mmCIF file of all heavy atoms in Angstrom:
data_model
loop_
_atom_site.group_PDB
_atom_site.id
_atom_site.type_symbol
_atom_site.label_atom_id
_atom_site.label_comp_id
_atom_site.label_asym_id
_atom_site.label_seq_id
_atom_site.Cartn_x
_atom_site.Cartn_y
_atom_site.Cartn_z
ATOM 1 N N SER A 70 -44.190 -21.050 114.838
ATOM 2 C CA SER A 70 -43.910 -22.534 114.958
ATOM 3 C C SER A 70 -45.138 -23.325 114.579
ATOM 4 O O SER A 70 -46.168 -23.057 115.137
ATOM 5 C CB SER A 70 -43.475 -22.880 116.391
ATOM 6 O OG SER A 70 -42.347 -22.220 116.651
ATOM 7 N N PHE A 71 -45.095 -24.267 113.758
ATOM 8 C CA PHE A 71 -46.202 -25.088 113.264
ATOM 9 C C PHE A 71 -45.745 -26.379 112.701
ATOM 10 O O PHE A 71 -44.668 -26.676 112.523
ATOM 11 C CB PHE A 71 -46.923 -24.194 112.179
ATOM 12 C CG PHE A 71 -46.079 -24.049 110.843
ATOM 13 C CD1 PHE A 71 -46.401 -25.003 109.860
ATOM 14 C CD2 PHE A 71 -45.184 -23.010 110.663
ATOM 15 C CE1 PHE A 71 -45.644 -24.827 108.628
ATOM 16 C CE2 PHE A 71 -44.449 -22.854 109.507
ATOM 17 C CZ PHE A 71 -44.682 -23.807 108.461
ATOM 18 N N THR A 72 -46.863 -27.231 112.566
ATOM 19 C CA THR A 72 -46.738 -28.514 111.967
ATOM 20 C C THR A 72 -47.615 -28.575 110.815
ATOM 21 O O THR A 72 -48.862 -28.185 110.849
ATOM 22 C CB THR A 72 -47.149 -29.612 112.969
ATOM 23 O OG1 THR A 72 -46.350 -29.586 114.188
ATOM 24 C CG2 THR A 72 -46.953 -31.000 112.348
ATOM 25 N N ALA A 73 -47.112 -29.047 109.613
ATOM 26 C CA ALA A 73 -47.949 -29.236 108.430
ATOM 27 C C ALA A 73 -48.009 -30.743 108.141
ATOM 28 O O ALA A 73 -46.980 -31.431 108.066
ATOM 29 C CB ALA A 73 -47.173 -28.478 107.298
ATOM 30 N N ILE A 74 -49.207 -31.263 107.906
ATOM 31 C CA ILE A 74 -49.414 -32.632 107.616
ATOM 32 C C ILE A 74 -50.182 -32.636 106.298
ATOM 33 O O ILE A 74 -51.135 -31.955 106.000
ATOM 34 C CB ILE A 74 -50.299 -33.328 108.670
ATOM 35 C CG1 ILE A 74 -49.628 -33.227 110.062
ATOM 36 C CG2 ILE A 74 -50.666 -34.685 108.207
ATOM 37 C CD1 ILE A 74 -50.447 -33.655 111.227
ATOM 38 N N VAL A 75 -49.668 -33.531 105.323
ATOM 39 C CA VAL A 75 -50.223 -33.696 104.044
ATOM 40 C C VAL A 75 -50.681 -35.108 103.932
ATOM 41 O O VAL A 75 -49.924 -36.162 104.239
ATOM 42 C CB VAL A 75 -49.321 -33.360 102.896
ATOM 43 C CG1 VAL A 75 -50.031 -33.553 101.455
ATOM 44 C CG2 VAL A 75 -48.820 -31.934 103.044
ATOM 45 N N VAL A 76 -51.904 -35.335 103.608
ATOM 46 C CA VAL A 76 -52.517 -36.771 103.481
ATOM 47 C C VAL A 76 -53.067 -37.044 102.091
ATOM 48 O O VAL A 76 -53.803 -36.156 101.612
ATOM 49 C CB VAL A 76 -53.615 -36.983 104.547
ATOM 50 C CG1 VAL A 76 -54.187 -38.373 104.400
ATOM 51 C CG2 VAL A 76 -53.076 -36.684 105.937
ATOM 52 N N ASN A 77 -52.595 -38.068 101.378
ATOM 53 C CA ASN A 77 -53.264 -38.454 100.167
ATOM 54 C C ASN A 77 -54.532 -39.301 100.634
ATOM 55 O O ASN A 77 -54.255 -40.365 101.028
ATOM 56 C CB ASN A 77 -52.331 -39.248 99.329
ATOM 57 C CG ASN A 77 -52.924 -39.603 97.975
ATOM 58 O OD1 ASN A 77 -54.117 -39.713 97.898
ATOM 59 N ND2 ASN A 77 -52.123 -40.009 96.977
ATOM 60 N N THR A 78 -55.681 -38.645 100.478
ATOM 61 C CA THR A 78 -56.937 -39.323 100.916
ATOM 62 C C THR A 78 -57.273 -40.563 99.970
ATOM 63 O O THR A 78 -58.082 -41.350 100.483
ATOM 64 C CB THR A 78 -58.066 -38.398 100.961
ATOM 65 O OG1 THR A 78 -58.300 -37.813 99.661
ATOM 66 C CG2 THR A 78 -57.837 -37.245 101.933
ATOM 67 N N SER A 79 -56.706 -40.619 98.831
ATOM 68 C CA SER A 79 -56.949 -41.849 98.009
ATOM 69 C C SER A 79 -56.162 -43.019 98.384
ATOM 70 O O SER A 79 -56.651 -44.232 98.345
ATOM 71 C CB SER A 79 -56.670 -41.474 96.478
ATOM 72 O OG SER A 79 -57.243 -40.326 96.153
ATOM 73 N N THR A 80 -54.961 -42.821 98.853
ATOM 74 C CA THR A 80 -54.043 -43.938 99.341
ATOM 75 C C THR A 80 -53.835 -44.039 100.735
ATOM 76 O O THR A 80 -53.412 -45.091 101.315
ATOM 77 C CB THR A 80 -52.683 -43.888 98.644
ATOM 78 O OG1 THR A 80 -51.986 -42.698 99.068
ATOM 79 C CG2 THR A 80 -52.819 -43.861 97.057
ATOM 80 N N GLY A 81 -54.093 -42.978 101.547
ATOM 81 C CA GLY A 81 -53.854 -42.953 102.986
ATOM 82 C C GLY A 81 -52.500 -42.601 103.341
ATOM 83 O O GLY A 81 -52.088 -42.534 104.541
#
Side-chain angles (χ1 to χ4, degrees):
S70 297
F71 66 96
T72 302
I74 300 171
V75 182
V76 178
N77 182 336
T78 58
S79 304
T80 64

